[in-house]
Amino acid sequence: MYSVLAWRNIWRNKRRSLITILSITFAVLLACAMRSMQLGSYDRMIENSVRFYMGYIQIHKDGYWNDKVIDNSFHYDSVKLNQVTEIKGVQTYVPRLESFALASYKNQTKGSLIMGVDPRRENDLTRVKEKLVEGSYLTSDDEGVLVSKGLAEYLNATVGDTLVLLGQGYHGANAAGLFPIKGIVRFAMPEQNNQMIYMSLAKAQWFYAADQLITSAALLIDDADEAPRIVREIKKSFSSEDFEVMDWKELVPDLIQSIELDSISGKIMLMILYVVIGFGMFGTYLMMTAERQYEFGVMLAVGMKRLRLQTIILLEITMMTAVGVLVGITISLPLLTYFHFNPIYFSQDAAKAIENFGVEAVYAFSLDPTIFTNQAYAIFIMAIILAGYPVWSIYKMNPVESMRA
Amino acid sequence: MSTIIKATNVSKVYHRTTVPVHALNNLTLSIEEGEFTAIVGPSGCGKTTLLNILGGLDHPTSGKVEVAGTDITEMKDSDLIDFRLKNIGFVFQAYNLIPVLTALENVEFIMLLQKENKKVRHQRAMELLTQMDIADKAKNKPSQLSGGQQQRVAVARALASKPRFILADEPTANLDSSSTSNLLDLMARMNKDQKATFIFSTHDQRVMDKARRIVTLEDGTIVSDTTR
Ligand SMILES: Nc1ncnc2c1ncn2[C@@H]1O[C@H](COP(=O)(O)OP(=O)(O)O)[C@@H](O)[C@H]1O
Ligand SMILES: [Mg+2]
């Protein structure tokens, strides 16, 4: 009967309770959407630069990361790398020979990043094949190259044209060659889209005079969160040799840091939203208590314990909050699920403008369950704290005085 | 018959204003089991103050109140709430009932506080509503009842907890004359049939006429005490 009483009390002032519930619903909806978009964009950034580019773990010759030159490359030992894939959680390894070169076509020249890759393994990790917008993908000892769309546009080159690449090879050797463009690939991140050139590992080793050498082995793993453990295990088995093994957080520290900063500003926004909603909730609790002074007085007079009365009020507040939160989540869950699977892409012009800032032009939405649970916790904690007022006012209520009013 | 309320030299001074208000002056009164007593007097003479003190809702400034042999003047507030629930029924001037509960639920509610089981609660509540001639409105909310009907439910609620006595502060103040006499007749019947002790206050002559004992207050002092 106490919960019946609480439930009916909520609907005594339908309008006010509805406004309170709707404001909670709205806050949850807005907070979930904001957070989902933020975390979604972070996920997307991490995916683009880690999942589809860096790999979650990389193995290099010791010192390569600080001095990324071709001389810091190491012998491509597939037997040893196969051992790595036997560690639990590691799917496969992807060998790369990476370095810079100047790419020219006719009278246009631009610095570019050359990626010598094992086409099949590379595709397992970065799914380059899906990014192909023109031409065809590489074969294992292909003579041709894939050029990123932004770079191709800059050079005014397209499939079938031949690029001139100039660079510095292993131990100072000259690197020069002619490479027919076999395909054009489009990357989401402008940084990649404007400078990447993919070629077969064999061809890259030839170009850089780096026979049997690679600069890195990226690992494809089952779960990003497992990376630190896998790094530890690799380090243990490679302890005697001069390799460096880095997980993705070490590989993209700038990205992680800017995400953390951005996340703080997002949380501050949420806090402001909650304060606004909190004032509304408090107003309701205030009125709820004020207009029922007499009634509370009667209840205490006839023998209802204060604790019981406080419990009923808390129940009312909890029920109202729960309805608001549940409705909020019920609306936001399908909505955000839809947008999670159908990210919002910008129109061409807007996309260009946004990509100039170095970010991908898309609104992506995360479905991380903590988005929803955190909003629910936040609202509930706030409701309970604000409920302190009615609880306290019942605690010090004098029935005679409240009935005199 | 035994004494259930014994108030000895009770005074109450309010210090709310600059001039202290002596609401009760050294008042002594006892009430026997089974009485049907009216506390009468003009507005401001101290009726409400007296009933509140007898009911353990308020503490006297000096003096002592014993209810069924227990001194309630020194009792802690939290113990008093429990004491009231077990021993005293209350009917106030108006708005006695919980607005969101039906008449029946309002009567059951007090027994719920006493942790009575559902079946007993329901049965006794229906019985009392029948005795108070209001059983046909058992499923109505207070807002769907007239003032007189609400007060009948309030009396039923007061009786439901099986109190030693019932304090009713001007229960008819907001009622028209026919509802007033109807309510008083029902109370008198409960007094007779159920041996329920009633102490009610009024400044209405017609209500006084229904009482068997009339205690008249003036400026916080008993000026006459007659039993018929
Ligand atoms: N809480 C209070 N503070 C100050 N004065 C009060 C208070 N309650 C009652 N009084 C005063 O005490 C006197 C008796 O009041 P009350 O018991 O309400 O009389 P009655 O019920 O007979 O009208 C009045 O003068 C009233 O103004
Ligand atoms: Mg009065």
Side-chain angles (χ1 to χ4, degrees):
Chain A
M1 185 127 99
Y2 297 122
S3 46
V4 172
L5 183 60
W7 181 251
R8 289 193 201 157
N9 275 329
I10 293 174
W11 300 109
R12 257 160 101 153
N13 192 328
K14 281 201 187 67
R15 216 170 72 116
R16 191 178 61 211
S17 297
L18 271 180
I19 290 173
T20 310
I21 290 172
L22 284 179
S23 69
I24 293 173
T25 300
F26 174 76
V28 170
L29 191 64
L30 200 65
C32 286
M34 266 165 68
R35 211 56 197 149
S36 166
M37 218 160 89
Q38 271 180 335
L39 296 189
S41 76
Y42 303 158
D43 286 351
R44 188 94 178 186
M45 280 190 241
I46 290 173
E47 278 211 326
N48 283 331
S49 62
V50 177
R51 169 67 182 83
F52 294 124
Y53 183 49
M54 291 279 188
Y56 286 106
I57 292 172
Q58 284 196 5
I59 301 170
H60 320 118
K61 181 185 155 91
D62 199 19
Y64 172 78
W65 198 247
N66 282 326
D67 188 14
K68 295 189 191 78
V69 293
I70 197 126
D71 289 352
N72 277 336
S73 52
F74 63 100
H75 182 68
Y76 179 17
D77 182 346
S78 56
V79 176
K80 190 173 271 168
L81 286 171
N82 273 325
Q83 283 168 11
V84 171
T85 61
E86 271 153 31
I87 293 172
K88 193 168 153 281
V90 179
Q91 288 178 21
T92 184
Y93 68 89
V94 180
R96 287 166 174 171
L97 182 66
E98 274 175 71
S99 191
F100 284 94
L102 282 177
S104 306
Y105 179 67
K106 289 188 178 156
N107 48 9
Q108 294 282 28
T109 301
K110 196 171 187 294
S112 60
L113 183 64
I114 310 295
M115 283 272 251
V117 298
D118 174 330
R120 189 183 51 79
R121 285 183 181 272
E122 183 68 26
N123 192 55
D124 287 343
L125 177 69
T126 54
R127 306 219 183 110
V128 203
K129 218 186 266 184
E130 288 171 17
K131 298 187 174 79
L132 208 61
V133 287
E134 240 180 281
S136 54
Y137 192 59
L138 298 174
T139 55
S140 64
D141 50 4
D142 216 307
E143 296 286 319
V145 294
L146 302 180
V147 180
S148 59
K149 194 163 192 306
L151 179 59
E153 278 168 5
Y154 181 88
L155 296 174
N156 249 320
T158 185
V159 174
D161 296 339
T162 299
L163 296 182
V164 179
L165 297 181
L166 280 174
Q168 196 177 41
Y170 190 62
H171 284 176
N174 273 330
L178 294 175
F179 296 86
I181 300 178
K182 199 175 180 202
I184 307 286
V185 281
R186 191 188 178 287
F187 291 95
M189 301 284 274
E191 189 191 322
Q192 297 166 37
N193 200 39
N194 293 331
Q195 61 172 351
M196 297 289 294
I197 294 177
Y198 278 91
M199 63 175 74
S200 64
L201 186 58
K203 198 71 191 165
Q205 285 167 340
W206 168 81
F207 175 62
Y208 284 113
D211 194 30
Q212 296 296 313
L213 295 176
I214 54 175
T215 52
S216 66
L219 300 186
L220 182 58
I221 63 176
D222 294 331
D223 180 358
D225 298 331
E226 291 276 273
R229 175 187 60 81
I230 295 170
V231 166
R232 275 198 305 277
E233 289 190 32
I234 299 172
K235 277 183 176 162
K236 209 160 58 191
S237 64
F238 281 13
S239 59
S240 58
E241 288 146 273
D242 54 346
F243 286 106
E244 64 189 11
V245 187
M246 301 169 78
D247 73 12
W248 58 283
K249 287 190 176 156
E250 295 172 282
L251 291 170
V252 289
D254 295 353
L255 179 67
I256 303 291
Q257 200 178 27
S258 69
I259 284 176
E260 274 166 7
L261 266 176
D262 191 78
S263 181
I264 290 172
S265 73
K267 282 176 183 162
I268 291 172
M269 290 270 285
L270 284 186
M271 237 130 83
I272 295 170
L273 173 70
Y274 285 143
V275 168
V276 171
I277 299 299
F279 271 110
M281 285 160 71
F282 190 62
T284 300
Y285 303 165
L286 217 68
M287 286 190 279
M288 219 162 93
T289 317
E291 72 190 7
R292 274 154 67 187
Q293 287 289 309
Y294 186 93
E295 184 182 324
F296 290 166
V298 171
M299 291 195 193
L300 294 178
V302 301
M304 183 183 259
K305 287 196 176 59
R306 284 174 207 272
L307 186 63
R308 178 126 284 158
L309 193 52
Q310 287 162 336
T311 309
I312 291 175
I313 293 294
L314 280 179
L315 216 55
E316 285 176 34
I317 286 172
T318 311
M319 282 173 171
M320 254 197 300
T321 311
V323 172
V325 168
L326 279 179
V327 175
I329 289 178
T330 310
I331 297 174
S332 54
L333 197 60
L335 198 72
L336 296 176
T337 305
Y338 174 81
F339 285 121
H340 175 73
F341 291 108
N342 302 277
I344 305 168
Y345 290 93
F346 287 84
S347 68
Q348 293 252 296
D349 292 345
K352 279 235 161 58
I354 289 165
E355 279 169 0
N356 282 339
F357 288 102
V359 291
E360 189 190 0
V362 62
Y363 279 135
F365 292 80
S366 165
L367 281 181
D368 188 330
T370 62
I371 292 170
F372 304 95
T373 52
N374 283 351
Q375 310 324 316
Y377 289 147
I379 299 256
F380 269 108
I381 289 170
M382 195 162 70
I384 296 299
I385 291 171
L386 296 177
Y389 172 73
V391 165
W392 171 76
S393 95
I394 290 169
Y395 173 74
K396 45 153 258 168
M397 180 175 284
N398 175 336
V400 174
E401 311 243 299
S402 18
M403 282 193 295
R404 193 189 308 279
Chain B
M1 275 216 274
S2 63
T3 305
I4 42 172
I5 306 178
K6 195 154 175 274
T8 320
N9 300 326
V10 169
S11 293
K12 178 74 182 179
V13 186
Y14 290 112
H15 294 284
R16 274 291 176 79
T17 46
T18 43
V19 191
V21 178
H22 293 262
L24 295 177
N25 281 317
N26 215 24
L27 180 147
T28 297
L29 174 72
S30 22
I31 305 279
E32 303 294 311
E33 208 168 79
E35 279 191 18
F36 197 64
T37 297
I39 310 284
V40 306
S43 184
C45 70
K47 304 183 293 292
T48 298
T49 306
L50 176 60
L51 291 189
N52 285 345
I53 287 173
L54 297 183
L57 286 172
D58 208 349
H59 295 279
T61 312
S62 64
K64 190 163 112 172
V65 178
E66 284 168 275
V67 171
T70 309
D71 184 352
I72 63 167
T73 32
E74 299 299 320
M75 235 186 235
K76 273 200 318 209
D77 179 84
S78 53
D79 295 335
L80 271 174
I81 291 184
D82 221 35
F83 188 84
R84 291 198 296 267
L85 177 63
K86 290 201 180 96
N87 298 287
I88 310 172
F90 289 92
V91 178
F92 301 103
Q93 191 169 321
Y95 309 114
N96 275 286
L97 307 176
I98 299 171
V100 295
L101 297 183
T102 63
L104 179 69
E105 288 166 337
N106 262 286
V107 179
E108 280 192 47
F109 191 70
I110 198 93
M111 292 183 275
L112 178 70
L113 295 180
Q114 293 179 318
K115 305 196 167 64
E116 202 63 82
N117 77 50
K118 195 172 164 62
K119 203 172 148 215
V120 173
R121 281 188 337 236
H122 184 82
Q123 204 171 354
R124 180 160 170 78
M126 274 321 286
E127 219 171 81
L128 285 163
L129 288 175
T130 308
Q131 285 161 348
M132 291 306 289
D133 260 349
I134 189 78
D136 55 326
K137 304 279 191 218
K139 293 264 184 289
N140 289 32
K141 297 268 172 71
S143 59
Q144 299 163 316
L145 301 175
S146 71
Q149 291 170 332
Q150 287 183 33
Q151 290 302 71
R152 269 140 63 190
V153 177
V155 173
R157 181 191 63 189
L159 287 161
S161 60
K162 298 191 176 150
R164 292 173 184 273
F165 58 94
I166 291 163
L167 295 172
D169 190 12
E170 307 218 31
T172 60
N174 291 359
L175 304 184
D176 60 35
S177 58
S178 79
S179 310
T180 296
S181 77
N182 177 247
L183 184 70
L184 260 295
D185 290 341
L186 285 164
M187 280 164 59
R189 193 165 86 197
M190 297 311 268
N191 171 255
K192 197 159 148 270
D193 298 352
Q194 313 279 320
K195 305 278 175 279
T197 309
F198 280 92
I199 301 135
F200 53 94
S201 70
T202 184
H203 56 258
D204 182 339
Q205 186 61 47
R206 288 162 306 173
V207 175
M208 291 174 215
D209 294 343
K210 308 262 184 188
R212 277 205 310 278
R213 177 180 173 193
I214 300 178
V215 176
T216 310
L217 282 189
E218 228 168 76
D219 290 335
T221 319
I222 296 175
V223 291
S224 87
D225 186 347
T226 56
T227 305
R228 294 183 290 200

